[in-house]
Amino acid sequence: MGLSRLAALHGVATSYSPSPDVTVSVPDDTVIAVLAALGVDAGTPADVRKCLAAAESRSRLLPPTVVVWAGEPLPSALAGLPPGSTVTVEPEPSDPPGHPAARPPAPLSMRARAAAPAPGAPVGSPAADAPGTAPGEAAETAGGAVPPRGDEAVDAQASGAPALGAAGAPAAASAPTAPAPPAWWIPPPHGVHRIHVRTPDNRRATATLVAAPPRVPQPPERTHGFLVQLYSLLSARSWGMGDLGDLTDLATWAGRSVGSGFVQVNPLHAAVPGKPTDPSPYRPSSRRFPDPVHLHVESIPEYGHVRDRATLDDLRQDAAALSEAVLNKGALIDRDAVWELKRQALELVVRVPLTPGRRADYCDFLAEQGQALEDHALWCALAEVHGPDWHTWPEALRDPRSPGTARARSELLDRVDFHCRLAWLTAGQLAAAQRAAEDAGMGVGIVHDLAVGVHPAGADTWSQQEAFAHGMSVGAPPDAFNARGQDWGLPPWRPDTLAATGYAAYRGLLRGLLAHAGALRIDHVMGLFRLWWVPEGRPPTDGTYVAYDAEAMLAVLVLEAHRAGAAVVGEDLGTVAPGVREALARRGVLGTSVLWFERDWEGDGRPLAPEKWRRDCLATATTHDLPSTAARLTGDHVTLRHRLGLLTRSLEEELTEDATGTAEWLALLARLRMLPEGDGDEEAAVRAVHRFLRRTPARMTGVWLPDTVGDRRPQNLPGTWDQYPNWRLPIADPEGRPVTLEEITASPRLHALMEVLRPRKPHTAPPGERRP
């Protein structure tokens, strides 16, 4: 019992439920190992008793983080302060550190008072005893999230949520409907502040205070757009893989020609260099900074002033040969070869002196990014010398704050500046892509993707070592689809360190990603609430859940999205704990609904009718981890998995079950008169699927770009490593022939598909034929 109590105090689960009627106990060894990663020694019963006594003897006046939502009642930590307590809030500066205008704002001082009883509430009732708490409102749960109220299924604008205007800026919204905070409370500006409390009996406490708006901005009422893995989108001018120039071109065309409201891309995070580089965009070196491999070199202003034109011409010819091999000779996308050519070109480009205006912009960028960019660039420079795994570097360099690292920083100053320059150039092209999307009339623009974690050997784990749980990896528990569970090889953030540092790393990450985004997709959004930690060297079945302060994680997300005027989409597929989707919806975070998984699971299990789908979601037919729609309709994805030995049953059983499920969906489409062409027409069936998605109330409808040309190959096949070319395939037609961006945008198949997504204009008789 002692170990269980100690684990509960630190958010470590000692059991979990893979299904409502099953509870699985977590091995004690796992609990002890996870506690050790959190700095808690539970190796012996005596250690457990000692740590438990210390933890239970601490009486905190405030939790590490206090969240205040604008226009909503104060949390119990503040509402329950003794009357007469002095409360002081030190607001964060409105300007970033180092900014010439940055001055510490004046603190806000207030004194807590007992609230007057609600009308008709007897003395001693919850309404009378809990200042600032609405009658009947539930208290905070152990996980930190407040259970949703019964009136949450309201329109975003009616509940005070900011909406996105045509260019992604927050539009005016109506006043919140929640009860107001007590009169003694002076609402601080939105931000992450420090709060100090002193009670009349002279107890003191200091904590992080997150003051957030109630919800994230919302996208336009109904919008559609494309989902694409950027590397797979080669144009005639690409250097062997898709780049930010291609993204800008796609967004401009899609907004102007087919009325799309957004383009969602894979994570563009910086990768860990190597031979070969890990091609997965979901296992990056750093989530904070983008990868310069995505640069469109010719668009850099200094490119035209490079004097060594002969070398540039040779590099461009080599790049054309890479593209030719991918597009016409069956070669896979070779990220390493692309980067080697671009690196050589960029070495020439950065030798060109910056103009005064460009220099000023670069200096501003350096000041804004601060220590985080310097650390990232230094890691890149050190990796060039000592290899990409910092655990194998000379011991003095493994600590980013050591004297040896400081010396290396001086010795590698030119290389550090080179990598800082690349980050600046990439940020500039990301901004240009978003501007182009807005100029093309997109209501959202570019939707960037946040991976769930980072590579254990990369820049983030080196520069933020104290923030990560050493010896742990993120994964997933066993479930009906994977009896062995999953280990993703990504070290998790320590929730205690996040809280102790005021969520600085998390805030910086979000701010960087949202700077040039119309919206942000969060991979495995359930990770804001809890993550499955797997101790190093153990199977995923021996992992356990570790809780995060979901209220604080959500508040920081809402705050940064509000500042950026960006919507948020959460990937909430798979195992989702009760209450998570409701908590996300309350804060305006859209979910993800994939057609083939939307069934009446609480009823007959049949496909869910379009009017029963949730409104606040991105609705799509597939994702990067799932078969394309053509492959799903034909069963090609089953035969592919059979060839690779991934099936757990016979091919016949799998094909039969798959065909039955597909037939149920096609029958529903036919009953709804969405398949006028009848059976047997694959292209028509793809259109019918998207016609169905458009019929749902979903705010956003996503079209997998390879679906527009009939591609049957998945971009990623979970459960494979070198058996399948994950993350290395160009978009192709039904026969597997790669197609360029120019061919995709001219495709009759694409234009026929996009016709079903166009809003229907009302038919109006000509003026001369109108009835009076």
Side-chain angles (χ1 to χ4, degrees):
M1 287 297 294
L3 182 61
S4 296
R5 291 208 314 275
L6 184 62
L9 287 172
H10 293 278
V12 179
T14 54
S15 66
Y16 67 96
S17 298
S19 60
D21 56 342
V22 176
T23 299
V24 178
S25 295
V26 175
D28 285 353
D29 287 350
T30 295
V31 176
I32 293 169
V34 170
L35 285 171
L38 291 169
V40 181
D41 185 1
T44 67
D47 293 328
V48 171
R49 289 192 296 271
K50 179 181 177 181
C51 290
L52 189 59
E56 292 181 335
S57 66
R58 289 194 296 266
S59 177
R60 294 191 64 98
L61 185 59
L62 292 177
T65 306
V66 179
V67 173
V68 175
W69 300 99
E72 297 186 13
L74 290 183
S76 58
L78 296 178
L81 288 174
S85 297
T86 300
V87 180
T88 304
V89 175
E90 294 180 6
E92 68 174 349
S94 56
D95 295 300
H99 192 281
R103 292 187 181 90
L108 304 174
S109 296
M110 57 203 91
R111 189 177 297 275
R113 297 195 300 271
V123 175
S125 71
D129 292 344
T133 302
E137 181 171 349
E140 292 189 13
T141 65
V146 179
R149 300 186 300 272
D151 62 351
E152 283 167 14
V154 295
D155 182 83
Q157 277 64 49
S159 63
L164 288 181
S174 60
T177 58
W184 63 264
W185 175 253
I186 302 175
H190 295 329
V192 179
H193 318 300
R194 294 299 288 170
I195 184 169
H196 307 276
V197 170
R198 187 180 67 190
T199 65
D201 59 357
N202 214 33
R203 288 183 296 151
R204 299 170 184 265
T206 297
T208 296
L209 175 69
V210 184
R215 286 162 63 92
V216 300
Q218 298 296 285
E221 189 60 27
R222 296 298 303 278
T223 186
H224 65 79
F226 293 111
L227 318 178
V228 61
Q229 300 284 291
L230 182 56
Y231 59 84
S232 70
L233 181 67
L234 280 75
S235 68
R237 65 182 185 178
S238 300
W239 285 39
M241 61 181 279
D243 57 38
L244 291 171
D246 299 322
L247 176 60
T248 301
D249 210 31
L250 174 66
T252 300
W253 169 83
R256 295 186 184 279
S257 299
V258 293
S260 295
F262 64 92
V263 175
Q264 177 182 301
V265 295
N266 55 286
L268 304 182
H269 309 320
V272 176
K275 297 289 186 177
T277 298
D278 187 339
S280 172
Y282 292 92
R283 199 168 140 86
S285 169
S286 173
R287 296 186 293 174
R288 176 66 181 82
F289 296 100
D291 198 312
V293 76
H294 300 112
L295 281 168
H296 181 242
V297 179
E298 293 94 325
S299 293
I300 300 172
E302 289 73 37
Y303 177 87
H305 299 279
V306 172
R307 293 188 176 184
D308 190 353
R309 305 309 299 180
T311 299
L312 277 185
D313 289 343
D314 289 344
L315 291 172
R316 291 182 61 181
Q317 287 183 4
D318 291 343
L322 281 180
S323 288
E324 171 70 14
V326 171
L327 294 172
N328 297 313
K329 298 181 180 178
L332 298 175
I333 292 170
D334 188 340
R335 182 193 184 101
D336 294 329
V338 172
W339 172 238
E340 180 56 29
L341 295 178
K342 288 191 176 183
R343 184 194 61 77
Q344 293 181 53
L346 292 167
E347 297 277 6
L348 298 174
V349 169
V350 299
R351 294 177 191 169
V352 176
L354 296 174
T355 64
R358 293 273 289 166
R359 170 63 63 180
D361 187 65
Y362 179 44
C363 290
D364 283 349
F365 180 79
L366 293 176
E368 290 167 3
Q369 304 304 317
Q371 188 69 51
L373 175 59
E374 188 175 336
D375 286 344
H376 174 72
L378 178 58
W379 181 91
C380 294
L382 288 169
E384 292 176 337
V385 179
H386 301 287
D389 185 350
W390 62 267
H391 299 91
T392 66
W393 292 356
E395 188 169 353
L397 300 178
R398 297 176 197 171
D399 179 357
R401 305 292 170 249
S402 73
T405 301
R407 287 193 298 272
R409 193 184 304 264
S410 298
E411 294 165 359
L412 297 171
L413 200 57
D414 287 346
R415 298 309 298 168
V416 171
D417 182 68
F418 174 71
H419 292 288
C420 286
R421 184 84 69 92
L422 298 190
W424 171 62
L425 294 173
T426 311
Q429 292 195 4
L430 288 169
Q434 177 63 14
R435 284 196 303 271
E438 294 172 356
D439 291 345
M442 286 190 167
V444 176
I446 309 301
V447 182
H448 286 285
D449 199 349
L450 171 60
V452 71
V454 294
H455 197 287
D460 282 2
T461 58
W462 176 73
S463 62
Q464 304 170 15
Q465 293 177 39
E466 69 286 347
F468 290 92
H470 300 291
M472 295 289 144
S473 176
V474 173
D479 57 28
F481 300 100
N482 194 328
R484 294 186 294 272
Q486 300 175 58
D487 183 345
W488 302 331
L490 309 170
W493 263 338
R494 286 181 53 164
D496 56 334
T497 303
L498 285 176
T501 56
Y503 295 86
Y506 178 47
R507 295 179 65 205
L509 168 62
L510 291 174
R511 191 166 293 184
L513 286 169
L514 289 165
H516 310 302
L520 179 67
R521 174 191 181 270
I522 300 181
D523 191 44
H524 193 71
V525 72
M526 296 81 78
L528 300 180
F529 296 77
R530 66 180 188 177
L531 282 172
W532 184 258
W533 287 23
V534 181
E536 191 175 58
R538 301 189 189 184
T541 51
D542 284 354
T544 190
Y545 280 114
V546 175
Y548 291 76
D549 186 341
E551 189 85 339
M553 298 288 278
L554 273 175
V556 172
L557 172 64
V558 172
L559 171 65
E560 295 300 338
H562 176 84
R563 285 173 164 171
V568 178
V569 178
E571 186 266 300
D572 57 350
L573 305 174
T575 302
V576 184
V580 167
R581 287 195 174 105
E582 292 79 5
L584 292 169
R586 180 180 183 184
R587 298 304 168 196
V589 178
L590 306 185
T592 301
S593 294
V594 178
L595 181 130
W596 311 101
F597 302 152
E598 291 297 313
R599 292 174 173 267
D600 183 8
W601 297 115
E602 296 180 358
D604 57 14
R606 294 187 180 278
L608 198 64
E611 66 272 10
K612 294 184 178 180
W613 282 43
R614 54 181 168 170
R615 173 173 173 259
D616 293 328
C617 75
L618 166 67
T620 182
T622 190
T623 72
H624 58 268
D625 283 332
L626 297 172
S628 68
T629 304
R632 177 80 68 173
L633 291 168
T634 58
D636 282 5
H637 68 109
V638 178
T639 55
L640 172 61
R641 291 168 58 222
H642 172 67
R643 288 200 306 271
L644 298 175
L646 299 178
L647 299 183
T648 57
R649 297 181 298 175
S650 70
L651 176 61
E652 291 73 20
E653 288 177 294
E654 293 279 355
L655 284 172
T656 298
E657 180 176 298
D658 183 72
T660 300
T662 301
E664 287 181 330
W665 275 104
L666 291 175
L668 175 60
L669 296 175
R671 287 198 302 274
L672 295 174
R673 298 182 179 180
M674 295 182 181
L675 191 53
E677 298 88 350
D679 296 336
D681 188 332
E682 173 199 310
E683 189 176 337
V686 172
R687 288 198 298 272
V689 163
H690 289 84
R691 200 173 278 125
F692 179 95
L693 293 175
R694 191 62 174 171
R695 179 81 65 87
T696 73
R699 282 184 174 274
M700 300 174 72
T701 301
V703 180
W704 180 236
L705 190 61
D707 273 350
T708 65
V709 290
D711 197 345
R712 299 191 179 192
R713 307 170 305 173
Q715 281 294 317
N716 177 51
L717 191 59
T720 63
W721 179 246
D722 55 1
Q723 307 99 311
Y724 186 80
N726 295 319
W727 318 112
R728 289 172 287 171
L729 293 172
I731 298 175
D733 65 14
E735 287 71 43
R737 183 186 69 84
V739 289
T740 63
L741 170 61
E742 292 83 358
E743 291 172 313
I744 293 170
T745 56
S747 166
R749 178 168 179 155
L750 177 144
H751 285 276
L753 174 59
M754 297 313 293
E755 274 297 316
V756 309
L757 296 174
R758 287 183 185 276
R760 292 288 179 260
K761 296 181 180 179
H763 294 287
T764 305
E769 299 181 12
R770 291 177 186 169
R771 295 180 180 178

